[in-house]
Amino acid sequence: MRFTYRHPTLRPLALSVHVWFLGNSIVMTVFAVYVLRELALPAWAFGVALTAAGIGGFAGALIAPSLGARWGAGRAILCGRTLVVVPWLVLGFAPLTAETDVVPSPPGC
């Protein structure tokens, strides 16, 4: 640990990872409460959102080695850290309310 935190390149990387993990933990906890309580969306809708996030993460993990080889590790990491914000921004500006139909109701309901 001493080597990592004294290294001029590894220290900022390690600290940014710590901040990302903390922020991601907070956001995911608040997201669950917001979706399930405030929006009153069904649990399956929350599951679909988490599934989409998992698929996106898996796709990112598949292309990361080739991007790292092409752009260099630093640029690939910066690109990944920037792109992880995009879905949250889209979600933050989406006009989604509890009355919004995620799946259309069958006729007569």
Side-chain angles (χ1 to χ4, degrees), residues 2 21-22 25-26 32-33 39 47 52 56 61 75 92:
R2 184 178 303 143
F21 273 117
L22 177 63
S25 298
I26 292 169
V33 173
L39 295 180
R75 287 187 181 133

Side-chain angles (χ1 to χ4, degrees), residues 76-98:
I77 290 170
L78 184 59
C79 178
R81 299 271 170 89
T82 303
L83 289 177
V84 77
V85 176
V86 172
W88 291 111
L89 290 175
V90 170
L91 183 65
F93 291 109
L96 183 63
T97 63

Side-chain angles (χ1 to χ4, degrees), residues 29-47 49 88 91 96 98:
T29 302
V30 172
F31 179 63
V33 173
Y34 178 69
V35 168
L36 297 172
R37 289 189 182 172
E38 296 298 319
L39 295 180
L41 292 177
W44 66 264
F46 180 62
W88 291 111
L91 183 65
L96 183 63

